[in-house]
Amino acid sequence: MGRQRQWLSATVIANLITLPLWMAAPAVWALSATLEGVEGEVARNIRAYLQNIEEDEYTESRLEGEIRQRTQEAMRVYGYYEPDISIDLPEDGSPSLTIEPGPQVTIETLEINILGDAAEDEPFEDALAGFSLKEGDTLRHAPWDALRGEFSGLAIERGYFDWGFTDRRMEVRPYLQSARLYMDFDSGPRYRFGETLITGSHIQPERLQQMRTYEVDEPYLAESLARFNQRLAETGWFSSVSVKPRLETAQELAMAPSGGGDPWWESATESQPKRPRVTSAALASALSMQQSDDTSLPIDVNVEPANRHQFETGIGFATDVGPRLRFGWDQPWINRYGHSLDHDLYLSAPEQRFTGVYDMPLDDPLRDSYRLQYGIRNIDDSDTDSLEGTVEIARRWEFDNDWEQSLYFRTTYEDFTQGGEADQVWLFYPGIQWSRTRTRPQRFPLWGDRQQFSVEYSDPAWGSDAQFLRFTGDTEWIRTYGEDNRFLARISFGAIETRDFDKLPPSLRFFVGGDRSVRGYSYEGLSPRNEEGKLRGGQQKLTSSLEYQRRVTGAWWGAAFVDAGDAFDNWGPADLKKSAGLGVRWISPVGPIRFDVAHPFDDPDDNFRLHFSIGPEF
């Protein structure tokens, strides 16, 4: 809020400063002329051409001439080359233009040729096949100019750096209402990826070479360089990354701006009316003089190391745990192999934990790695009192479909008291987990989903204190319809098959209830109870939630939801605990803030419960 006040104050001050400048500025005649004789896109284009005419710079006769000239230019792009324009400039009121468009010019001859290696390149063939004009059609300038831009853009994207237009003409004969269009695009040879030179790297260059998205001697493709650049940036090893082809000077001259359009040399010379502009034919001639038979294009990669130590702090609040504090210490690289080390400290009233992750990337650092994870956690909440230490070794894979697989072996020591029953256990168990998270945008997803499934097994045969087979699964979905209707759905389930349930620590049992579970009930307050009425934890759980959000205004949303779920010992409980409620969402600068009022339908106290939390759903 303080930052917002500063911004508002700065805006007010800026307006006060610039107000005299606006008052002193020369009058600008924002023309709102009355047009007769034309309509639709032609009329809209004329009005666009007539905008921002500075009336004070013209006499009446010159002003009329300027309006006439701009109107003719605006109509010419639609094939009207000989309009009859009558202009009425009253002393008071808006000007009036009466236009007789006249006949439109039609295309008599249309010849477009692609020369060089691009003649057999599919994207160029598609661009030519998709060209909307043909002989006999009304002449329109926009498709013609767009095709020129598309050819030049494809040339740069696909490695035709010696491209040029050997012929590009539009011959218009207004008196015959005909036009002849000629375009010869010579792409020259297609360049291929050469050797990649890496400079500035503190990581083994061989590791970075393995991340390339192209092979030597493959046809050049700008998209491949962009993906290579992105992959290097995603490692976290570097503060800056630059991946560029090593072009000759003449090739750089030919490069068009991204998205097509005129090359830079046309824009640079059009403001010099007394000097002859560089033509495409002249540029093509200059390029041909410097062409080489060597089409191998070296790639230069320049990187700068990221800070070796990075720190992050966070403060939050939720009704489940109260105030919470997080401190993170990340080392994105600790040696030339790209190993990383992250530590995280989390503090809240019911839970305190310290965890660390040592990551050892393999040949593909973003997809494959070994991980060593360790941590200690203390929980003192309701009927649960637990001190847990864990060490885990994992092998991680990430697949092309965004799914991530982790195969791990975990050892856990836990000293706990659950529902008045105390024990100390050592557990050794392997597990496998599959997960995927997709969101866009990141801070407040309007589209996204998350899935996570895991299987774990423990057996006394290898020294574990309990035998169990444990399954868990979670799936969440976010979809938005229109701009103001957002839907969330969530299902979570779990099951444990064991004869040693009393040996299982609280971290492996199931509890339900709270902000991210079944709202309206206390945090992890739903589970089977022992003879003393204390929470014991369940062998199974099932929860579901359906929520509808509607944008009220700006960053404020209203919400309505229904939750159901429970933790239990046998599948198919007679009744799942249910609740419903209303809420408010505010997309703040620090992330989404959620406030809910939920009513539990199966609570004997029949009370409403407030839920407040900060942070994204995923």
Side-chain angles (χ1 to χ4, degrees), residues 570-582:
N570 295 293
W571 278 110
D575 292 301
L576 294 176
K577 302 296 189 295
K578 295 174 285 295
S579 67
L582 301 174

Side-chain angles (χ1 to χ4, degrees), residues 167-402:
D167 189 11
R168 192 182 69 217
R169 290 177 290 146
M170 180 184 290
E171 299 177 356
V172 180
R173 295 171 172 80
Y175 54 92
L176 296 176
Q177 292 90 49
S178 68
R180 299 177 180 178
L181 278 61
Y182 304 92
M183 184 185 295
D184 288 343
F185 175 81
D186 189 352
S187 69
R190 185 175 185 181
Y191 281 74
R192 296 178 174 272
F193 287 111
E195 298 296 331
T196 299
L197 176 65
I198 299 174
T199 58
S201 177
H202 55 296
I203 306 298
Q204 279 185 330
E206 294 80 5
R207 307 227 71 179
L208 307 188
Q209 294 281 5
Q210 291 171 342
M211 298 179 65
R212 285 183 296 132
T213 53
Y214 55 85
E215 299 294 335
V216 174
D217 206 38
E218 274 188 0
Y220 175 90
L221 193 62
E223 181 184 355
S224 297
L225 289 190
R227 286 192 288 113
F228 185 29
N229 194 105
Q230 180 181 0
R231 297 193 71 197
L232 292 176
E234 288 177 353
T235 61
W237 295 335
F238 310 108
S239 61
S240 68
V241 178
S242 173
V243 180
K244 295 181 179 179
R246 191 185 307 164
L247 300 172
E248 301 294 336
T249 302
Q251 293 166 345
E252 292 174 350
L253 284 172
M255 291 191 70
S258 60
D262 293 336
W264 69 269
W265 42 267
E266 288 195 6
S267 300
T269 56
E270 69 178 339
S271 61
Q272 309 287 340
K274 296 182 180 179
R275 299 180 184 176
R277 294 183 61 184
V278 180
T279 66
S280 59
L283 180 65
S285 177
L287 293 175
S288 64
M289 295 175 62
Q290 300 198 32
Q291 286 182 3
S292 170
D293 292 336
D294 185 9
T295 58
S296 179
L297 188 64
I299 305 300
D300 292 326
V301 178
N302 182 263
V303 295
E304 295 182 9
N307 292 332
R308 196 165 188 173
H309 300 278
Q310 301 176 9
F311 302 93
E312 182 181 1
T313 59
I315 300 175
F317 179 87
T319 49
D320 284 347
V321 298
R324 56 193 181 193
L325 173 67
R326 178 182 174 272
F327 177 77
W329 173 26
D330 298 341
Q331 294 176 265
W333 60 275
I334 60 176
N335 55 33
R336 63 195 186 101
Y337 303 107
H339 294 186
S340 63
L341 180 61
D342 299 339
H343 286 107
D344 189 85
L345 175 65
Y346 173 87
L347 300 174
S348 68
E351 179 181 357
Q352 306 85 44
R353 66 173 182 262
F354 175 78
T355 58
V357 179
Y358 186 86
D359 191 89
M360 296 166 282
L362 300 176
D363 290 346
D364 189 340
L366 295 179
R367 294 177 177 267
D368 303 313
S369 64
Y370 284 108
R371 285 183 176 175
L372 172 64
Q373 302 186 58
Y374 47 90
I376 185 170
R377 182 174 68 161
N378 180 69
I379 297 179
D380 186 1
D381 180 42
S382 186
D383 297 333
T384 302
D385 187 358
S386 170
L387 178 63
E388 173 191 2
T390 299
V391 176
E392 175 183 300
I393 298 176
R395 172 71 165 90
R396 168 186 166 272
W397 298 264
E398 184 176 321
F399 305 111
D400 292 337
N401 57 6
D402 295 328

